[in-house]
C-alpha cells in the first residue's frame, strides 16, 4: 500500500452500517451518488491465464469504472473493496501457484493475493496510476457491504471520489467438496446444524418448505420468477449467461430440474463464476461534472450486527433461522430502508433485491411490501406480468439467477436503469426510485437509489 | 445413517458428554429464564455467564419444517442420499430448534407438525453419541 493511504481499522468498519430501526432519515440523503460502472468479462472457472485472474479482472473493472465516470486515476482518493473472493472454491494447498501469474504482477506477502483473494495492497501495487488514494476500507463479504461502506464513507467525508470493488474467483472442480466436508469428524459451530445437511441452500429450502406449508403454495409457482430472471439476464451483456450460454429457460426446464436440497432445485441456486465489478461513488456535488448522469443515494440499511470487529448476521433463536425470523428480518430491513430514505414502499418503482438462492427473493420483496404485497403473497405476484414491461417489474437485473454468482448485477442494473442506459433491459415505465442489495434476510445491506437527490 | 463425529470443545463438552449418557442438556439462564442453543460463553440476552447453567431437556418436540438433500458436499452423508433434514421445535424450550435426519422416516415423507421423540445415535469415527429424533407413531 502507498504510504499515504490510511486503512480504516476493522473495528471501525461497523460504524458505516445502519442496522437499527429508529435512526431517522440518513443524514447524507441525496448527497452521495454513483456515477461510473466497470465490469470484467465472466468465466465459469479460471483458465489459469494471468490476464484472466481475479486480480487482473479487478484491475480491468476498476479502470473501466473510472473511464465510465470520466475520472482520471489521480482524482481517486478512496478504495473500498472486499478481500475474500471465493465463490466456495479454494486453491488446493498442494497445487503450485502458476509461475506466469506470479511473474505478471507485483506480489504482496500472500502468494494467493490476486488469485484467490484481493487485498487493497495488491490492487495499489498493481495500479500505480492510483497515486492519490488516501482512504482504504476493507469491507466484509459481498458487494452490498462494500458499496454501502463506500457510500457512508463518502457521505462522512472520509473520501470524495471512491472506487468500489468486488471480485470473485472460481476454480476447477466441484466447490465445497474436500476439506472439512471430506473428514469423518466435525469441529466448529457446524456440528450442531450444517454438518447434518450439507448444501448451502438447505436453510433457505427449509424456510421455503415451511412457507409452502403455511400459505398453501407450490414450488412450481416459482417458475415465472426464474424464467423472468433468465430472460432479464440474457439482456445483460455483462453477465455470464448472456456471454457464454444464451439459452432461454422455460417453466418446464425449471420444474424438471434436479433437486439440490428439495424444495431448492438446480435453478434456484446461482451458478458460481469468475468476474469482477467496480463502481465509482462520489459526492453529489462532484458527480455533476462527471461523464454519466449521477444516481443519488437516498439511504441505506440492512440486517446484521457488529460485534468484536466482525459484521455478523442477525441472531437466530435456535440452531437455524426460521421462516418467521427471515420474514421478520426482511420486514425490519424494509422499515429501516424507508426510514433512512424518507420514502414509503409505494414510492419504489422497481426492486433488485438479492436472489443468490432464488427462493428467498420471495421473503425480500414481501419485506419491502413491493407492489403492495404482504407475507404469503409473492408467489401470487409471480403469476402476473413481472417482466421489465410490467407495472411492477421483479428483479429487472435478472440477479444472480440470471447472470451468475456475483451479487453485483442488481446494483449495476439499478444504476443503469436510473441513468437510462440499461439497454435492452431498460424498463418502459418512467423510473425514479429503485432498491438493490443483498444478501440474505438475516445479513444484508440495501441501497435506495434515485434519479433525483430530493 | 453414519454422520461425522462431533469433536467437543471446552464450551460445548457438557452437551456432548451428556449425549454419551443419553441425556439432552441445553444451556439455561436462570436470570432471564431462557433456554439457549447452540452453546455460547454468555447468555445472549443478559450477556452474563453467571446464571448460565446446563439443564436437562426432554427433547420432545414437533416437526417445524424440512428439506430433502440430494446433493451434499459432506462425504460421509453422500451414500445415503436423498435424506431428510428436519427442523424440530422443542416443547420444553420455546423458540429453540434443533436439526434431525428423522431416522425411520422415508425421504420426502416428513409430516410437518408431527410429534417427535428424542433418541441417540453413535457416530462411527469416534463413538461420540449424538441426539436424533423419531416421529412418534
Amino acid at each position: 500500500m502507498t504510504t499515504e493511504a490510511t486503512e480504516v481499522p476493522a473495528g471501525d468498519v461497523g460504524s458505516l452500517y445502519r442496522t437499527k430501526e429508529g435512526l431517522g432519515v440518513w443524514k447524507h440523503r441525496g448527497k452521495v451518488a454513483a456515477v461510473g460502472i466497470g465490469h470484467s468479462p465472466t468465466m465459469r472457472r479460471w483458465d489459469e491465464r494471468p490476464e484472466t485472474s481475479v486480480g487482473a479482472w479487478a484491475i480491468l473493472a476498476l479502470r473501466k469504472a473510472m473511464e465510465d465516470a470520466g475520472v482520471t486515476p489521480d482524482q481517486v482518493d478512496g478504495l473500498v473493496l472486499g478481500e475474500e473472493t471465493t465463490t466456495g472454491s479454494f486453491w488446493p494447498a498442494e497445487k503450485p501457484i502458476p509461475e506466469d501469474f506470479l511473474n505478471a504482477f507485483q506480489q504482496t506477502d500472500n502468494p494467493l493475493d490476486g488469485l484467490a483473494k484481493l487485498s487493497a495492497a495488491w490492487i495499489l501495487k498493481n495500479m500505480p496510476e492510483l497515486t492519490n488514494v488516501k482512504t482504504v476500507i476493507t469491507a466484509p463479504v459481498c458487494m452490498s457491504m462494500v458499496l454501502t461502506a463506500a457510500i457512508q464513507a463518502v457521505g462522512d467525508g472520509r473520501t470524495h471520489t471512491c472506487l468500489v470493488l468486488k471480485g470473485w474467483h472460481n476454480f476447477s472442480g466441484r466447490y465445497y467438496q474436500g476439506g472439512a466436508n471430506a473428514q469423518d469428524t466435525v469441529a466448529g459451530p457446524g456440528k450442531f446444524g450444517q454438518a447434518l445437511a450439507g448444501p448451502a441452500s438447505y436453510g433457505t429450502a427449509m424456510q421455503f418448505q415451511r412457507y409452502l406449508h403455511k400459505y398453501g403454495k407450490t414450488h412450481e409457482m416459482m417458475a415465472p420468477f426464474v424464467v423472468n430472471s433468465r430472460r432479464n439476464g440474457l439482456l445483460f451483456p455483462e453477465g455470464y449467461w448472456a456471454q457464454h450460454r444464451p439459452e432461454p429457460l422455460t417453466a418446464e426446464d425449471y420444474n424438471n430440474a434436479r433437486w439440490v436440497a428439495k424444495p431448492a432445485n438446480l435453478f434456484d441456486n446461482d451458478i458460481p463464476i469468475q468476474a469482477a465489478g467496480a463502481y465509482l461513488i462520489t459526492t453529489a456535488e462532484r458527480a455533476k461534472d462527471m461523464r454519466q448522469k449521477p444516481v443519488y443515494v437516498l439511504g441505506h440499511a440492512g440486517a446484521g450486527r457488529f460485534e468484536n470487529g466482525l459484521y455478523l448476521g442477525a441472531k437466530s433463536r435456535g440452531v437455524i433461522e426460521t421462516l418467521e425470523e427471515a420474514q421478520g428480518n426482511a420486514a425490519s430491513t424494509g422499515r429501516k430502508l424507508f426510514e433512512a430514505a424518507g420514502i414509503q414502499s409505494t414510492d419504489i418503482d422497481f426492486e433488485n433485491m438479492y436472489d443468490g438462492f432464488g427462493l428467498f427473493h420471495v421473503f425480500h420483496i414481501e419485506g419491502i411490501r413491493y407492489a403492495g404485497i404482504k407475507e404469503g403473497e409473492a408467489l401470487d405476484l409471480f403469476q402476473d406480468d413481472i417482466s421489465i414491461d410490467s407495472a411492477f417489474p421483479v428483479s429487472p437485473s435478472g440477479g444472480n439467477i440470471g447472470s451468475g454468482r456475483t451479487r453485483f448485477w442488481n446494483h449495476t442494473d439499478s444504476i443503469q436503469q436510473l441513468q437510462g442506459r440499461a439497454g435492452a433491459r431498460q424498463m418502459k415505465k418512467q423510473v425514479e426510485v429503485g432498491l438493490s442489495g443483498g444478501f440474505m434476510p438475516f445479513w444484508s445491506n440495501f441501497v435506495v437509489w434515485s434519479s433525483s437527490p430530493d | 445413517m453414519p454422520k461425522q463425529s462431533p469433536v467437543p470443545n471446552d464450551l460445548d463438552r457438557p452437551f456432548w458428554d451428556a449425549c454419551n449418557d443419553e441425556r439432552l442438556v441445553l444451556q439455561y439462564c436462570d436470570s432471564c429464564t431462557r433456554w439457549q442453543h447452540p452453546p455460547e460463553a454468555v447468555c445472549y440476552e443478559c450477556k452474563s455467564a453467571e446464571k448460565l447453567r446446563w439443564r436437562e431437556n426432554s427433547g420432545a418436540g414437533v416437526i417445524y419444517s424440512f428439506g430433502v438433500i440430494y446433493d451434499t458436499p459432506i462425504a460421509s452423508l453422500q451414500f445415503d442420499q436423498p435424506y431428510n433434514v428436519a427442523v424440530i421445535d422443542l416443547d420444553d424450550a420455546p423458540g429453540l430448534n434443533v436439526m434431525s435426519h428423522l431416522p425411520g422416516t422415508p425421504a420426502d415423507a416428513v409430516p410437518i407438525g408431527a410429534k417427535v421423540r428424542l433418541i441417540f445415535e453413535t457416530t462411527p469415527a469416534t463413538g461420540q453419541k449424538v441426539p436424533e429424533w423419531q416421529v412418534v407413531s
Side-chain angles (χ1 to χ4, degrees), chain B residues 95-136:
Chain B
L96 281 198
N97 58 38
V98 291
M99 288 164 62
S100 166
H101 285 143
L102 284 184
T105 299
D108 209 10
V110 177
I112 290 178
K115 291 185 177 302
V116 292
R117 67 182 180 92
L118 175 68
I119 62 168
F120 288 89
E121 285 185 352
T122 301
T123 57
T126 67
Q128 171 67 52
K129 289 186 179 179
V130 296
E132 262 296 5
W133 281 264
Q134 276 186 323
V135 173
V136 177

Side-chain angles (χ1 to χ4, degrees), chain A residues 153-183:
Chain A
V154 170
D156 291 344
R158 293 176 186 234
T159 160
H160 304 287
T161 304
C162 184
L163 281 171
V164 178
L165 170 70
K166 184 66 194 180
W168 295 97
H169 74 254
N170 193 34
F171 300 137
S172 61
R174 298 202 67 197
Y175 58 99
Y176 294 127
Q177 307 278 333
N181 286 335
Q183 305 300 310

Side-chain angles (χ1 to χ4, degrees), chain A residues 370-409:
Chain A
Y370 186 62
I373 59 172
K374 299 189 294 293
E375 288 170 357
E377 295 180 350
L379 292 177
D380 297 326
L381 176 69
F382 293 170
Q383 310 316 302
D384 295 331
D385 185 2
I386 55 172
S387 74
I388 53 175
D389 297 332
S390 69
F392 294 106
V394 168
S395 193
S397 69
N400 273 29
I401 296 297
S403 287
R405 182 182 298 169
T406 64
R407 300 178 181 163
F408 51 59
W409 309 117

Side-chain angles (χ1 to χ4, degrees), chain A residues 346-359:
Chain A
T346 49
D347 295 321
I348 303 167
D349 295 314
F350 65 94
E351 63 83 19
N352 267 315
M353 312 295 273
Y354 184 54
D355 65 339
F357 302 129
L359 302 177

Side-chain angles (χ1 to χ4, degrees), chain A residues 272-309:
Chain A
I273 61 171
Q274 177 134 332
Y279 304 110
L280 193 125
I281 304 294
T282 187
T283 63
E285 197 57 37
R286 291 188 184 204
K288 289 176 186 168
D289 301 324
M290 293 184 185
R291 183 170 291 153
Q292 305 298 343
K293 180 185 172 195
V295 175
Y296 300 93
V297 178
L298 297 187
H300 66 83
R305 59 202 163 98
F306 205 80
E307 288 183 5
N308 304 320

Side-chain angles (χ1 to χ4, degrees), chain A residues 191 196-197 206 262 315 324, chain B residues 7 40 64-65 83 101 108:
Chain A
K191 59 188 152 186
L196 295 179
M206 179 280 295
K262 188 178 179 184
K315 189 87 171 161
E324 289 75 17
Chain B
V7 179
E40 296 197 40
Y64 168 79
S65 187
Y83 57 86
H101 285 143
D108 209 10

Side-chain angles (χ1 to χ4, degrees), chain A residues 35-77:
Chain A
V35 183
I37 299 170
H39 282 285
S40 74
T42 63
M43 180 182 289
R44 178 75 171 94
R45 296 184 172 88
W46 188 37
D47 59 8
E48 302 198 8
R49 291 182 298 142
E51 61 269 31
T52 57
S53 62
V54 69
W57 277 6
I59 293 168
L60 179 65
L62 289 166
R63 288 177 175 156
K64 283 185 170 184
M66 287 186 284
E67 183 185 351
D68 190 49
V71 164
T72 56
D74 61 298
Q75 292 176 296
V76 173
D77 64 0

Side-chain angles (χ1 to χ4, degrees), chain B residues 8-114:
Chain B
N9 59 30
D10 289 346
L11 177 63
D12 61 27
R13 185 164 286 107
F15 174 90
W16 299 111
D17 285 349
C19 287
N20 286 337
D21 294 336
E22 302 208 343
R23 293 184 303 119
L24 180 68
V25 300
L26 304 174
Q27 287 183 316
Y28 184 83
C29 178
D30 282 321
S31 180
C32 302
T33 61
R34 184 178 182 274
W35 294 88
Q36 176 167 289
H37 185 69
E40 296 197 40
V42 296
C43 168
Y44 188 72
E45 198 70 26
C46 67
K47 311 295 181 196
S48 167
E50 199 175 331
K51 300 283 185 177
L52 199 58
R53 65 182 171 94
W54 294 95
R55 181 176 170 186
E56 192 152 346
N57 187 290
S58 72
V62 297
I63 297 172
Y64 168 79
S65 187
F66 71 101
V68 186
I69 309 302
Y70 286 76
D71 191 358
T72 183
I74 299 174
S76 59
L77 299 176
Q78 287 169 345
F79 183 76
D80 289 297
Q81 295 182 118
Y83 57 86
N84 298 318
V85 183
V87 173
I88 310 296
D89 280 341
L90 293 175
D91 290 349
D92 300 336
L96 281 198
N97 58 38
V98 291
M99 288 164 62
S100 166
H101 285 143
L102 284 184
T105 299
D108 209 10
V110 177
I112 290 178

